[in-house]
Amino acid sequence: MIFENMIITLDGTAGSGKSTTASILARRLGMKYLNTGSMYRAVTYAVLKEGIDPEDEDKVSELAGKIDLELEEVNGERVLFLEGRNIEKEIREGDVSAAVSP
């Protein structure tokens, strides 16, 4: 495959369609799609569940190094799991959205 070692990144403002564009592009090129924004959200979700202040860089970094995040394909879609649990719905909730930037 010609794209075997290629990585394409997209950046832009929230709500600009980055994820939609990236997933369509990956599908058309036969590449894997990785939504790193979801990974940030997953760490934020874990931080909030542990009662850690999202502004506490040391504690957030420590927790991020301990948690088990897995990306699996389920029914043709990439799904993010935290400690073996599908958290796709939870990482889109308002409390996570409000805390993900720090």
Side-chain angles (χ1 to χ4, degrees):
M1 168 193 252
I2 192 168
F3 301 114
E4 181 173 313
N5 295 313
M6 184 178 290
I7 297 173
I8 299 172
T9 62
L10 300 177
D11 196 11
T13 58
S16 63
K18 298 178 300 290
S19 296
T20 301
T21 301
S23 68
I24 292 169
L25 181 62
R27 194 175 356 226
R28 287 187 182 173
L29 296 176
M31 299 174 73
K32 292 182 180 177
Y33 166 64
L34 176 64
N35 184 339
T36 55
S38 291
M39 297 171 85
Y40 281 105
R41 287 175 167 276
V43 171
T44 303
Y45 174 73
V47 163
L48 295 175
K49 280 193 62 93
E50 291 293 317
I52 296 171
D53 179 354
E55 301 276 352
D56 188 332
E57 293 179 30
D58 292 334
K59 287 185 180 178
V60 170
S61 293
E62 182 181 342
L63 181 65
K66 291 180 181 177
I67 61 176
D68 178 31
L69 284 180
E70 292 186 38
L71 195 58
E72 296 181 17
E73 192 158 320
V74 178
N75 298 324
E77 297 291 324
R78 312 257 312 163
V79 176
L80 193 57
F81 289 81
L82 173 64
E83 308 298 341
R85 187 171 155 260
N86 180 340
I87 58 165
E88 287 291 333
K89 179 181 176 191
E90 290 88 341
I91 65 173
R92 309 282 175 219
E93 293 178 356
D95 59 336
V96 173
S97 294
V100 75
S101 289

